[in-house]
C-alpha cells in the first residue's frame, strides 16, 4: 500500500534529506496502524472519571499515555456508541493533535484564530485550554467540511467559538487583531499513516509545490493580524521540508527581525533540521520539531513563533 501511494520520487527525497535508515523506518512505520487515542474533554470531565466510567463498560486502556490521554487497548463495542462519546466527554484523535493547542497555551481572555479548522479536533482542544472563555475564530474554507466542524464543536459543549466559512487568506479583511493563531495547515499529508489516509491518487511533487504556496500565503496574511508578543503555531502532517523547515526558514527570511522561534517543550521527535537541504539557513530552525511516523504517531512538523517588535 505504501508503494502505491508514495511514489519513488518521495522515497528518493527522503533518503536525500533524512538518510537511508530513517527512510526505511518511515516506510515501515507508515504501514502500521496506531492505537486509538482518547482525550477527555477537560471542560466536563477528568481523565480518571472518564477512564473509570469506560472501564466499567469493559473498555481497557494502556497503563500510560502522554498528554493526559488514554490509549485504547480493547473495546467491547465501538467507543463512538458510548454515551460518553455522544455527550462530548471525549475526542478520538492522533496524539500529535494535542501538541499545537498545548504549545499555544492561550489564556481564558485571549482572542485566538484557528485558520484551517475542520473537522475541529484541535479547535476543541484549544477551546478546552481557553476554558471555554475568550474568543476563538474557527476558519474553514471548504463549505462541505463545515458540518463536521459544527458537529464537533456542538458535541463537545463549546460556546466560545465563531465558525467562519472563508479563505484564511482573507482573514485580514475581518480587521481583528489576535493574541494567538493556530495554523494546522492544508498539506500533502505524507506523514499520515496509510490506513487513515483517504487519498486514492498517488501524490506527486507538484502537490508539494502547490500546498507550500498556499501555506506561505496563509502564513503571511495571518502574520499581519497577530498582535506584538502574540504567538502562532504552524503545523503540518507532512514529511516534506518545503511544508516544514524550508517553509519556516523562508518565512524567517521574509519577516526577519520580527520573528522569534520559540522552543517546543516536548520530549517527542527531533529538532527541525535543514543541514542536508539548504546551505544557508536560520539557526532558529533548530527550535522547530520534526516527528517521524513512529511511537504510535503520524509524521508531523511543528513551529511556534512569536511576533516581536522590530
Ligand atoms: C489539516 S486540515 C485541518 C485539521 C484540523 N485542524 C483538525 O485538527 O481537525 C486542513 C484544513 O484546511 C482547510 N483549508 C484548505 N485551504 C484553506 C484556506 N485557504 N483557508 C482556510 N481553510 C483552508 C481544508 O479544507 C482542511 O479542512
Amino acid at each position: 500500500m505504501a508503494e502505491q501511494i508514495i511514489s519513488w520520487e518521495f522515497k528518493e527525497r527522503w533518503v536525500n534529506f533524512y538518510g537511508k535508515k530513517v527512510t526505511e523506518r518511515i516506510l515501515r512505520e507508515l504501514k502500521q496502524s496506531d492505537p486509538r487515542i482518547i482525550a477527555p474533554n477537560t471542560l466536563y470531565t477528568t481523565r480518571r472519571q472518564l477512564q473509570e466510567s469506560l472501564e466499567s463498560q469493559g473498555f481497557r486502556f494502556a497503563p500510560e499515555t502522554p498528554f493526559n490521554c488514554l490509549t485504547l487497548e480493547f473495546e467491547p463495542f465501538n467507543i463512538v456508541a458510548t454515551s460518553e462519546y455522544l455527550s462530548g466527554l471525549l475526542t478520538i484523535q492522533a496524539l500529535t493533535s494535542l501538541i499545537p493547542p498545548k504549545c499555544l497555551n492561550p489564556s481564558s481572555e485571549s482572542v485566538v484564530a484557528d485558520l484551517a479548522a475542520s473537522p475541529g479536533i484541535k479547535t476543541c482542544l484549544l477551546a478546552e485550554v481557553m476554558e471555554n472563555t475568550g474568543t476563538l475564530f474557527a476558519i474553514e474554507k471548504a463549505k462541505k467540511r463545515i458540518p463536521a466542524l459544527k458537529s464537533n464543536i456542538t458535541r463537545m459543549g463549546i460556546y466560545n467559538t465563531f465558525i467562519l466559512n472563508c479563505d484564511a487568506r482573507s482573514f485580514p479583511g475581518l480587521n481583528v487583531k489576535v493574541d494567538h493563531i493556530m495554523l494546522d495547515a492544508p498539506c500533502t499529508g505524507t506523514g499520515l499513516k496509510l490506513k487513515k489516509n483517504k487519498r486514492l491518487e498517488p501524490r506527486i511533487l507538484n502537490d508539494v509545490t502547490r500546498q507550500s504556496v498556499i501555506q506561505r500565503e496563509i502564513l503571511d496574511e495571518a502574520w499581519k493580524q497577530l498582535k506584538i508578543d502574540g504567538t502562532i503555531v504552524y503545523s503540518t502532517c507532512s514529511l516534506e521540508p518545503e511544508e516544514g523547515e524550508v517553509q519556516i526558514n523562508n518565512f524567517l527570511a521574509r519577516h526577519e527581525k520580527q520573528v522569534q522561534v520559540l522552543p517546543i517543550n516536548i520530549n517527542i521527535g527531533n529538532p527541525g533540521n535543514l543541514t542536508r537541504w539548504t546551505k544557508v539557513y536560520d539557526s532558529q530552525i533548530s527550535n522547530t520539531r520534526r516527528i517521524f511516523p513512529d511511537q504510535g504517531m503520524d509524521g508531523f512538523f511543528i513551529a511556534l513563533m512569536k511576533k516581536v517588535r522590530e
Side-chain angles (χ1 to χ4, degrees), residues 260-278:
Q260 190 183 347
V261 184
L262 302 177
I264 292 166
N265 296 322
I266 51 166
N267 288 332
I268 302 168
N270 306 306
N273 187 346
L274 280 174
T275 49
R276 291 183 195 225
W277 191 266
T278 46

Side-chain angles (χ1 to χ4, degrees), residues 199-242:
R199 198 179 165 116
L200 298 174
E201 298 288 317
R203 291 179 198 84
I204 53 170
L205 290 182
N206 234 354
D207 293 332
V208 179
T209 313
R210 197 166 45 85
Q211 295 292 357
S212 62
V213 169
I214 297 170
Q215 291 152 7
R216 186 192 71 212
E217 290 174 352
I218 300 180
L219 266 172
D220 283 348
E221 292 307 310
W223 192 247
K224 293 178 189 165
Q225 298 313 112
L226 190 62
K227 293 180 191 170
I228 298 288
D229 290 332
T231 53
I232 178 165
V233 67
Y234 168 88
S235 58
T236 58
C237 50
S238 165
L239 294 168
E240 311 318 310
E242 296 93 327

